[in-house]
Amino acid sequence: QYLTRLGLALGDPESLQTAKAEWLSAPMWQSLRNYAEDTFVMKDWFELFVAQNFVLDGLLYPLVYQQIDRVFDEQAGPGISLMTRFQDAWFDETKRWVDSCMKLAAAESPENKALLTTWISHWRERAVSALRPIAELALGDNAESILDPLQAGLAERAAKCGLSV
């Protein structure tokens, strides 16, 4: 819904159709689309929580609403930042709750800790692979130098939850 509003503010209704067509068929979006679709059919609700809320959001939000947003600011001014401020603030608030859930689950048992570590590692690898083409499009040669610290930030969050990934 927020992306649709942003798309309409920056373009016209036809641009939404173009964006949909790109999402469905452009090679750069297929890994991310596949990631999202795979989470739609997960049987374990907590693995879904880890894959979407901890891993993907933990990489996607800082990438888009901080790093890529900074490029937009430099190229076109703060207009997009003003329209996406809510998403960045929402992520900051939500990640505290997500981290609290992860910390509690990790503290329950060594088995939980091992399973969470496995899930984070698996989904982080997929998320980074899915986000790389987007980072390269927006950040060019700086993409890897941005993705590496984002992964380190996610690992730091995991460590604060009692997990080593």
Side-chain angles (χ1 to χ4, degrees), residues 9-27:
L10 297 173
D12 52 34
E14 290 78 33
S15 65
L16 296 179
Q17 291 302 323
T18 301
K20 180 181 177 183
E22 288 286 313
W23 173 253
L24 292 174
S25 61

Side-chain angles (χ1 to χ4, degrees), residues 8 11 14 19-20 30 39 45 53-54 59 68 76 78 91 93 95 107 118 147-148 154 156 160-162 165:
L8 288 172
E14 290 78 33
K20 180 181 177 183
Q30 297 317 297
T39 64
W45 68 270
N53 298 307
F54 189 77
L59 295 168
I68 294 174
F91 174 70
E93 183 66 30
K95 84 175 171 182
T118 300
L147 288 171
D148 288 343
L154 190 68
E156 185 178 315
K160 288 179 181 176
C161 296
V165 292

Side-chain angles (χ1 to χ4, degrees), residues 132-150:
R132 184 170 282 112
I134 298 155
E136 289 171 350
L137 175 68
L139 304 169
D141 293 338
N142 295 326
E144 284 305 317
S145 66
I146 298 295
L147 288 171
D148 288 343
L150 293 180

Side-chain angles (χ1 to χ4, degrees), residues 28-29 32 60 63-64 68 130-139:
M28 74 169 285
W29 295 104
L32 183 58
L60 178 76
L63 174 64
V64 173
I68 294 174
L131 294 172
R132 184 170 282 112
I134 298 155
E136 289 171 350
L137 175 68
L139 304 169

Side-chain angles (χ1 to χ4, degrees), residues 6-162:
L6 182 61
L8 288 172
L10 297 173
D12 52 34
E14 290 78 33
S15 65
L16 296 179
Q17 291 302 323
T18 301
K20 180 181 177 183
E22 288 286 313
W23 173 253
L24 292 174
S25 61
M28 74 169 285
W29 295 104
Q30 297 317 297
S31 291
L32 183 58
R33 190 168 75 95
N34 186 257
Y35 186 110
E37 289 173 349
D38 285 352
T39 64
F40 293 159
V41 295
M42 293 176 104
K43 294 186 189 302
D44 190 303
W45 68 270
F46 205 76
E47 183 179 4
L48 173 63
F49 179 86
V50 170
Q52 284 184 344
N53 298 307
F54 189 77
V55 177
L56 186 59
D57 285 357
L59 295 168
L60 178 76
Y61 275 79
L63 174 64
V64 173
Y65 296 111
Q66 293 168 14
Q67 302 301 322
I68 294 174
D69 184 65
R70 192 171 302 135
V71 172
F72 289 156
D73 275 354
E74 292 168 3
Q75 293 177 356
I80 293 175
S81 291
L82 292 171
M83 291 187 279
T84 61
R85 192 169 285 167
F86 169 78
Q87 290 90 324
D88 196 34
W90 177 87
F91 174 70
D92 283 341
E93 183 66 30
T94 302
K95 84 175 171 182
R96 288 191 284 269
W97 172 74
V98 169
D99 290 357
S100 177
C101 293
M102 296 290 289
K103 186 175 186 177
L104 185 63
E108 282 187 2
S109 71
E111 294 81 14
N112 275 9
K113 191 179 278 193
L115 189 55
L116 290 171
T117 299
T118 300
W119 286 343
I120 291 169
S121 296
H122 169 76
W123 290 104
R124 180 187 57 203
E125 183 178 317
R126 286 197 56 193
V128 169
S129 177
L131 294 172
R132 184 170 282 112
I134 298 155
E136 289 171 350
L137 175 68
L139 304 169
D141 293 338
N142 295 326
E144 284 305 317
S145 66
I146 298 295
L147 288 171
D148 288 343
L150 293 180
Q151 290 180 77
L154 190 68
E156 185 178 315
R157 281 181 61 201
K160 288 179 181 176
C161 296

